[in-house]
């Protein structure tokens, strides 16, 4: 037996209490890891967004559209605006499944000739891509979306238009897969020409308009310089533009959720503080019950520092056990759920798995906070008067 | 452990006149305060105990027996007077030095046994050795030897709740002797035991005194226990009679 062994053996004194305490720490840790993973997944889209892709939108707001002629001008600048390799345009369609309206997915009208050149991280089998280009009402959907709704190539699908009212009929011509982790696998893309021609009579003011223009820059080109050059090109036009990298765009989008993210951040900290307080109370109770034993140890010649170290060691051991148990719960639970989230909420969380740094941080925090929780009980135990302690019947 | 003592005709170990004094109290006093009320628990107490004796201390409740025992064992400090135990003036020692001295010089036997419930018998006995530089394997060997001395070689891996009261107290005695202290202090060692177990424990204490030359100071209310000691001292209202 060793001094450390003696400290750890104290955990076995009341097995039920020890198990419940460890379980309490484990569940608090599970909640912490879940929130941190959510926050991480939320920012993953931005962090892993393509750096070589730029988005050009209306200078006032990304909800306002641009004349399609801007694409013509921009596309025509290949070789004249330094750094632009390819460009495409798209419109947010805002379609919904007519029955499962609550299940959100992105529906986008795209320029079929150029879209998959610019978005090369969305891989479509060549034969499906060719078939789609031939079908004006054809659509290509992400593999996760196809799985979610049980769609296969050749299926006829009707969507309910929200921005562009009416029933919109499509035929699934292809299913794309993602070649990078941050790519949303739940998008529904179709021909911009289908949208543009369909609204000529009902919404003529909306025709020949595009939501935003995406460009890919040449390798080695500086995104900021290219963005500046694009915006300068339209500076003297009626509608000015704002161009930024996809990553900056994602960051800006995330920024609009800043308060929610901050609140989640705070909640994850509060959970750990509550865990620490409960743990402190449990350790204090356990130490109080052992006052007589500590008196005996002091009588035998153990020093107050030994008693304090025993209590601290006990706290750290509970933190370590609770932390490991928490991670054992977290991995199957969160990662299992993460796969479902990726498939069903890929627009917001394209990648939802526990990052290793979150797991390590959680384990270290569990030990640190358990150690902190034991500080006051340890201090009080070390201040015991040996005679008083021995008088307490164990 | 050395075996050297003088045995009298009645079988009791008698203090030998040629043995040096191991415990010396001079004009010892201990005062407690309960609010503004002054309690002189020990007063002008002089005491000399020779090495190798087995002494019993009796007296009514509140007479100061346990207080005297605690002072001799280095758990408490006197308010007045001087105390010297095993050649050390305890008043001159710091708290840390006193704790170290205690761990080397004193073996404790408690009324309520005070074993650690999560440890086995051998682990409980090993406790005082954790403070020494003795290697782990040697510590275990010594703890096993101490348990053999008290006749519990077949209970080494039992936890306290798996032992009878008498066995628990014998584990407590093994813990008190494992580090080979010069003095064993026993506070009501038979207070929680039935007659038979009490006799066994007292026989064991006699044997430790006789065969291993341990100086034993025992506080007791039990006349039968006191009779087993070689010297009986009575304490009343803080004074030895």
């Amino acid at each position: 037996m060793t001094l450390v062994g003696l400290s750890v053996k104290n955990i076995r004194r009341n097995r039920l209490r020890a198990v419940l305490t460890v379980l309490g720490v484990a569940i608090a840790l599970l909640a912490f890891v879940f929130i941190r993973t959510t926050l991480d997944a939320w920012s993953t889209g931005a962090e892993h967004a393509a750096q070589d892709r730029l988005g050009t939108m209306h200078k006032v707001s990304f909800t306002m559209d641009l004349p399609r002629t801007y694409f013509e001008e921009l596309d025509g600048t290949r070789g004249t605006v330094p750094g632009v390799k390819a460009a495409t345009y798209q419109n947010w369609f805002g379609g919904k499944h007519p029955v499962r309206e609550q299940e959100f997915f992105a529906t986008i009208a795209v320029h079929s000739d150029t879209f998959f050149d610019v978005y090369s991280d969305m891989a479509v089998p060549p034969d499906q891509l060719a078939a789609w280009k031939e079908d004006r009402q054809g659509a290509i959907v992400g593999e996760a979306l196809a799985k979610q709704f049980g769609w296969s190539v050749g299926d006829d699908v009707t969507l309910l238009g929200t921005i562009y009212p009416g029933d919109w009929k499509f035929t699934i011509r292809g299913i794309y897969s993602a070649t990078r982790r941050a790519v949303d696998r739940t998008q529904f893309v179709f021909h911009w020409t289908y949208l543009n021609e369909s609204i000529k009579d009902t919404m003529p003011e909306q025709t020949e308009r595009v939501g935003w223009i995406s460009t890919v820059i040449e390798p080695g080109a500086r995104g900021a310089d290219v963005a500046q050059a694009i915006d300068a090109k339209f500076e003297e036009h009626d509608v000015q533009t704002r161009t930024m990298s996809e990553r900056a765009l994602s960051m800006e989008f995330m920024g609009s959720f800043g308060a929610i993210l901050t609140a989640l951040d705070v909640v994850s900290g509060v959970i750990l503080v509550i865990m620490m307080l409960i743990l402190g109370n449990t350790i204090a109770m356990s130490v109080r019950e052992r006052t007589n034993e500590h008196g005996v140890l002091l009588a035998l010649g153990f020093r107050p520092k030994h008693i304090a170290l025993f209590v601290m060691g006990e706290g750290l051991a509970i933190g370590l056990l609770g932390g490991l148990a928490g991670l054992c719960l977290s991995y199957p639970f969160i990662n299992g759920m993460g796969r479902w989230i990726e498939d069903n909420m890929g627009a917001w969380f394209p990648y939802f798995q526990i990052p290793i740094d979150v797991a390590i941080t959680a384990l270290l925090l569990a030990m640190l906070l358990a150690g902190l929780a034991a500080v006051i009980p340890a201090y009080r135990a070390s201040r015991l008067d040996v005679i008083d302690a021995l008088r307490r019947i164990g | 452990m050395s075996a050297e003592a003088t045995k009298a005709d009645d079988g009791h170990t008698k203090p030998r006149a040629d043995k040096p004094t191991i415990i010396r109290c001079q004009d010892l006093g201990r005062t407690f305060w309960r609010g503004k009320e002054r309690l002189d628990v020990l007063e002008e107490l002089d005491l000399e105990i020779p090495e190798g004796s087995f002494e019993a201390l009796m007296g009514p409740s509140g007479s100061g027996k346990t207080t005297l025992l605690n002072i001799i064992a280095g758990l408490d400090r006197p308010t007045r007077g001087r105390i010297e135990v095993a050649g050390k003036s305890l008043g001159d020692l710091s708290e840390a030095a006193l704790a170290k001295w205690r761990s080397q010089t004193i073996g404790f036997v408690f009324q309520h046994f005070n074993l650690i419930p999560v440890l086995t018998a051998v682990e409980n006995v090993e406790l005082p050795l954790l403070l020494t530089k003795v290697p782990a394997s040697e510590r275990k060997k010594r703890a096993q030897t101490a348990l053999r001395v008290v006749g519990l070689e077949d209970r080494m891996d039992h936890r306290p709740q798996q032992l009878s009261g008498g066995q628990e107290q014998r584990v407590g005695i093994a813990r008190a002797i494992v580090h080979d202290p010069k003095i064993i202090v026993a506070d009501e060692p038979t207070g929680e035991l039935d007659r038979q177990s009490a006799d066994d424990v007292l026989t064991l204490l006699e044997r430790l005194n006789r065969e291993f030359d341990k100086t034993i100071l025992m506080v007791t209310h039990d006349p039968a226990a006191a009779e087993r000691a070689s010297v009986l001292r009575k304490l009343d209202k803080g004074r030895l009679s």
Side-chain angles (χ1 to χ4, degrees):
Chain A
M1 191 182 57
T2 59
L3 289 171
V4 174
L6 178 59
S7 173
V8 173
K9 279 192 174 186
N10 274 321
I11 297 172
R12 300 195 320 212
R13 182 174 302 266
N14 186 327
R15 283 171 199 264
L16 179 63
R17 181 164 63 197
V19 167
L20 291 175
T21 306
V22 166
L23 205 59
V25 173
I27 289 172
L29 209 74
L30 168 67
F32 173 80
V33 171
F34 180 71
I35 292 175
R36 301 306 310 183
T37 302
T38 305
L39 291 172
D40 187 83
W42 190 264
S43 60
T44 290
E47 285 170 9
H48 292 266
Q51 282 179 286
D52 63 346
R53 210 153 46 209
L54 305 179
T56 299
M57 68 202 76
H58 198 291
K59 190 174 185 178
V60 176
S61 165
F62 63 80
T63 59
M64 300 173 77
D65 50 26
L66 302 170
R68 194 177 75 90
T69 51
Y70 277 29
F71 167 72
E72 310 289 353
E73 290 186 49
L74 194 57
D75 196 43
T77 63
R78 288 183 195 185
T80 56
V81 172
V84 173
K85 183 181 172 189
T88 189
Y89 58 87
Q90 48 207 306
N91 261 25
W92 185 261
F93 176 66
K96 284 183 177 178
H97 191 282
V99 179
R100 293 155 70 177
E101 286 189 30
Q102 300 303 316
E103 295 177 51
F104 173 82
F105 55 94
T107 45
I108 305 169
V110 303
H111 182 225
S112 49
D113 290 344
T114 54
F115 182 77
F116 286 103
D117 295 335
V118 173
Y119 288 87
S120 55
D121 44 14
M122 297 164 71
V124 187
D127 57 326
Q128 293 180 9
L129 185 60
W132 174 64
K133 285 186 176 177
E134 292 300 315
D135 182 357
R136 182 175 159 271
Q137 285 180 256
I140 289 180
V141 298
E143 55 188 351
L145 187 68
K147 189 177 166 193
Q148 185 181 342
F149 288 101
W151 291 335
S152 306
V153 173
D155 286 358
D156 289 327
V157 172
T158 301
L159 295 186
L160 196 63
T162 55
I163 300 170
Y164 307 96
D167 290 342
W168 294 75
K169 298 187 186 305
F170 302 96
T171 302
I172 307 293
R173 290 298 175 196
I175 294 174
Y176 73 83
S177 56
T179 59
R180 287 190 307 112
R181 76 154 46 167
V183 173
D184 178 5
R185 295 179 298 132
T186 63
Q187 292 186 75
F188 185 109
V189 299
F190 63 96
H191 294 272
W192 179 87
T193 48
Y194 176 39
L195 170 69
N196 194 54
E197 287 165 13
S198 301
I199 60 172
K200 266 183 180 160
D201 296 332
T202 54
M203 303 171 75
E205 74 285 359
Q206 293 293 318
T207 55
E208 296 301 317
R209 309 289 293 183
V210 300
W212 68 98
I213 298 166
S214 299
T215 47
V216 180
I217 60 175
E218 297 279 4
R222 287 188 67 238
D225 294 342
V226 178
Q228 202 171 17
I230 292 171
D231 290 341
K233 183 169 186 59
F234 300 113
E235 189 60 38
E236 302 303 321
H237 289 55
D238 289 343
V239 175
Q240 284 87 47
T241 60
R242 188 161 61 112
T243 303
M244 59 178 75
S245 71
E246 208 168 81
R247 175 177 288 186
L249 194 63
S250 297
M251 292 288 189
E252 188 175 285
F253 178 69
M254 275 175 56
S256 60
F257 292 91
I260 295 171
L261 300 180
T262 304
L264 278 175
D265 212 359
V266 170
V267 167
S268 71
V270 168
I271 287 171
L272 291 185
V273 170
I274 292 171
M275 177 200 85
M276 185 179 77
L277 294 176
I278 293 173
L279 200 54
N281 185 47
T282 307
I283 294 171
M285 193 160 55
S286 163
V287 168
R288 215 163 32 241
E289 287 170 2
R290 300 206 303 273
T291 300
N292 176 268
E293 282 176 33
H294 290 147
V296 172
L297 292 175
L298 289 169
L300 294 180
F302 284 83
R303 303 286 313 284
K305 69 179 179 190
H306 291 124
I307 307 298
L309 285 173
F310 289 152
V311 177
M312 291 294 295
E314 197 177 324
L316 288 173
I318 288 174
L320 178 63
L321 287 174
L324 289 173
L327 290 183
C328 286
L329 288 176
S330 297
Y331 269 97
F333 179 75
I334 296 174
N335 284 359
M337 198 167 67
R339 277 185 282 278
W340 183 88
I341 290 172
E342 287 170 12
D343 287 346
N344 295 280
M345 302 167 74
W348 292 288
F349 303 110
Y351 181 81
F352 198 100
Q353 303 288 305
I354 300 171
I356 187 69
D357 59 325
V358 167
I360 292 169
T361 304
L363 186 62
L364 293 177
L365 277 175
M367 289 184 68
L368 175 72
L369 294 176
L372 281 176
V375 165
I376 293 175
Y379 174 75
R380 293 180 66 174
S382 72
R383 304 282 294 171
L384 279 178
D385 178 82
V386 59
I387 307 283
D388 287 343
L390 283 172
R391 281 202 192 108
R392 308 257 185 103
I393 306 295
Chain B
M1 284 181 254
S2 59
E4 180 190 342
T6 305
K7 193 175 178 186
D9 295 340
D10 60 1
H12 289 170
T13 305
K14 296 292 182 192
R16 286 179 3 187
D18 58 331
K19 286 276 188 176
T21 299
I22 193 165
I23 299 169
R24 177 177 287 118
C25 304
Q26 290 177 325
D27 196 23
L28 203 69
R30 180 69 172 100
T31 300
F32 292 101
W33 291 90
R34 188 184 293 158
K36 289 183 178 178
E37 185 188 0
R38 177 185 170 123
L39 298 171
D40 289 314
V41 176
L42 296 176
E43 290 187 84
E44 297 170 4
L45 189 141
D46 292 311
L47 171 68
E48 287 196 3
I49 296 177
E51 195 175 334
S53 64
F54 180 5
E55 302 207 357
L57 198 55
M58 291 191 80
S61 294
S63 60
K65 305 183 298 293
T66 299
T67 301
L68 177 59
L69 198 73
N70 288 339
I71 290 173
I72 289 171
L75 295 177
D76 196 6
R77 291 180 187 272
T79 313
R80 299 171 297 283
R82 180 177 168 77
I83 176 154
E84 193 179 298
V85 181
K88 286 277 183 191
S89 174
L90 302 191
D92 298 337
L93 298 179
S94 66
E95 285 300 324
L98 195 59
K100 189 176 179 187
W101 171 85
R102 226 167 34 229
S103 72
Q104 294 168 342
T105 316
I106 306 290
F108 289 91
V109 180
F110 301 98
Q111 178 180 357
H112 301 290
F113 326 133
N114 290 346
L115 302 179
I116 309 288
V118 291
L119 301 182
T120 62
V122 75
E123 288 170 337
N124 265 289
V125 174
E126 205 182 324
L127 272 178
L129 298 177
L130 292 180
L131 298 167
T132 67
K133 290 179 180 171
V134 177
S137 59
E138 179 62 22
R139 284 202 303 262
K140 191 167 184 183
K141 263 190 221 167
R142 289 194 196 177
Q144 287 167 337
T145 302
L147 280 170
R148 270 192 283 275
V149 167
V150 300
L152 286 178
E153 55 270 37
D154 57 341
R155 293 286 187 274
M156 290 191 184
D157 295 321
H158 287 59
R159 292 219 161 75
Q161 64 268 31
Q162 298 169 310
L163 301 172
S164 69
Q167 289 171 331
E168 279 196 78
Q169 191 57 299
R170 281 195 277 159
V171 174
I173 292 171
R175 183 178 64 188
I177 62 173
V178 71
H179 54 303
D180 198 17
K182 288 182 176 162
I183 301 166
I184 295 173
V185 294
D187 193 357
E188 300 275 10
T190 58
E192 294 282 304
L193 303 177
D194 59 47
R195 190 70 265 158
Q196 182 57 50
S197 299
D199 281 343
D200 291 345
V201 164
L202 290 166
T203 303
L204 184 58
L205 289 176
E206 279 179 327
R207 196 175 143 224
L208 292 172
N209 171 244
R210 193 172 59 240
E211 294 180 18
F212 299 101
D213 202 21
K214 298 297 173 199
T215 303
I216 299 176
L217 186 57
M218 174 176 70
V219 163
T220 184
H221 276 108
D222 179 6
E227 199 189 322
R228 305 283 285 270
S230 50
V231 174
L232 172 62
R233 295 180 194 268
K234 291 192 175 173
L235 196 62
D236 191 20
K237 294 179 182 169
R239 292 172 190 273
L240 282 169
S241 56

